Amino acid sequence: MATIHRRPDTLAVGALLATVGGYLDAYTFLRHRVFANLQSGNVLLFCVEATARHWHRAVLLLIPVAAFGVGVLLVEILGLPRVLRLVRRPLRVVLTLQILLLAGVAAVPDDAPSQVTTVTVSFVAALQFSTFTSLRDAPYTTLAESGNLQKGIAAAHRWLAARDPADARRAGRYALVIAAFVVGAVLGAVVTRLVGAPAVGVAAGLLAAVLALLVRQTRRLRRLEAAGAAPSPPPGTP
C-alpha cells in the first residue's frame, strides 16, 4: 500500500489527531445532524432513502462518500514512488490542505448549503484516516473509537493474562487516544454551540499544532542523524 507517512505517530500526535476527530464529529452532528468523519452512516442512510424512493436525498448522501473516496485516492497517489520524487514533503502538503480547507469552512456563511461543510469535512477526514494509521507499535484510527476500544481491551486482557509490560503500555496508549477523542467531542459540542460555523477553526488550529510537532520531530531526527546517533528519516516524512 502506498503511504506518505512511514514513521509511527507519537502519543502526543495521536492524541491531538483523536481530539480533532472527536471535535469534527460533534461539530458536524450539531450543525448538520450527520457524522461526516466516516461514511458508514451515510451509506446506511443512502440505503434507507433509496428503499423509500427518496432519490434526491439518497443521491445527496453519496456526495460525501465520493469526497471521502477522493481523499483516500489522493493519499494513495501521493505515496507513489514517482510522485514522492516530485513532492518532497507530501505529509506537509496533506496537513496544510486539511488546515486550509477547515479554515475555509469556518468562513462559510450560516446560510450556505450544508453539503459545503459535510463534503469538505468528509474529504479532510479521508486524508487523516488514510495518513495516520500507526501509533508507536500498533495500528489505530483517530476518527472512530470502536477499533481503538477493541484493541485496547484486547491489550489489557493480554497484560492481565501474561503480565507483559508492552501490553500494558499499549493498552494505556489506546486509553489515552480514546480519552482524547472524548475531550475533542465535548470541546466541539461546547464551542459549536457558542460560536456556530466558525467553531471548526479550532480543528484547523489543532492540525496546525500536529504539523508543527511533526516538523519538529523530523528536524530533531536530522540533527541526530548528522551527529551519527540516528538513521535518516524515510522519504515522505514532514
Side-chain angles (χ1 to χ4, degrees):
M1 182 181 69
T3 181
I4 62 172
H5 187 34
R6 294 183 174 90
R7 192 171 66 212
D9 295 325
T10 64
L11 197 53
V13 168
L16 278 173
L17 290 169
T19 304
V20 172
Y23 191 99
L24 289 176
D25 252 354
Y27 175 83
T28 54
F29 181 77
L30 286 175
R31 294 283 300 164
H32 306 291
R33 288 297 184 265
V34 297
F35 297 107
N37 275 356
L38 296 179
Q39 300 305 310
S40 299
N42 285 330
V43 172
L44 174 62
L45 289 174
F46 167 78
C47 295
V48 170
E49 298 292 356
T51 54
R53 298 184 179 180
H54 299 155
W55 303 117
H56 178 69
R57 279 182 281 182
V59 170
L60 288 178
L61 287 163
L62 289 180
I63 298 174
V65 176
F68 190 91
V70 171
V72 172
L73 183 60
L74 176 60
V75 174
E76 288 290 312
I77 292 172
L78 286 172
L80 295 175
R82 61 180 179 274
V83 178
L84 281 173
R85 287 193 291 269
L86 298 174
V87 183
R88 293 191 60 231
R89 303 292 189 187
L91 188 53
R92 291 188 192 184
V93 171
V94 165
L95 278 167
T96 301
L97 181 58
Q98 289 179 269
I99 293 164
L100 292 175
L101 287 173
L102 292 181
V105 170
V108 168
D110 281 343
D111 58 353
S114 63
Q115 286 78 18
V116 173
T117 297
T118 57
V119 168
T120 303
V121 172
S122 293
F123 179 74
V124 168
L127 297 178
Q128 183 166 316
F129 182 76
S130 301
T131 303
F132 300 94
T133 59
S134 179
L135 180 68
R136 293 285 182 89
D137 59 350
Y140 83 131
T141 177
T142 60
L143 299 183
E145 296 314 304
S146 296
N148 294 333
L149 185 61
Q150 180 270 325
K151 292 180 178 64
I153 292 172
H157 175 263
R158 289 194 299 271
W159 174 70
L160 290 173
R163 296 294 175 177
D164 185 346
D167 286 320
R169 290 191 294 271
R170 197 170 293 120
R173 288 194 288 269
Y174 280 121
L176 182 60
V177 168
I178 293 168
F181 186 92
V182 172
V183 169
V186 171
L187 182 63
V190 171
V191 178
T192 301
R193 288 191 177 106
L194 287 175
V195 303
V200 75
V202 173
L206 291 171
L207 287 172
V210 170
L211 178 58
L213 273 176
L214 290 172
V215 170
R216 181 182 177 185
Q217 290 168 12
T218 298
R219 289 175 177 172
R220 178 176 175 274
L221 285 173
R222 294 202 181 280
R223 286 195 299 269
L224 291 173
E225 177 203 4
S232 60
T237 49

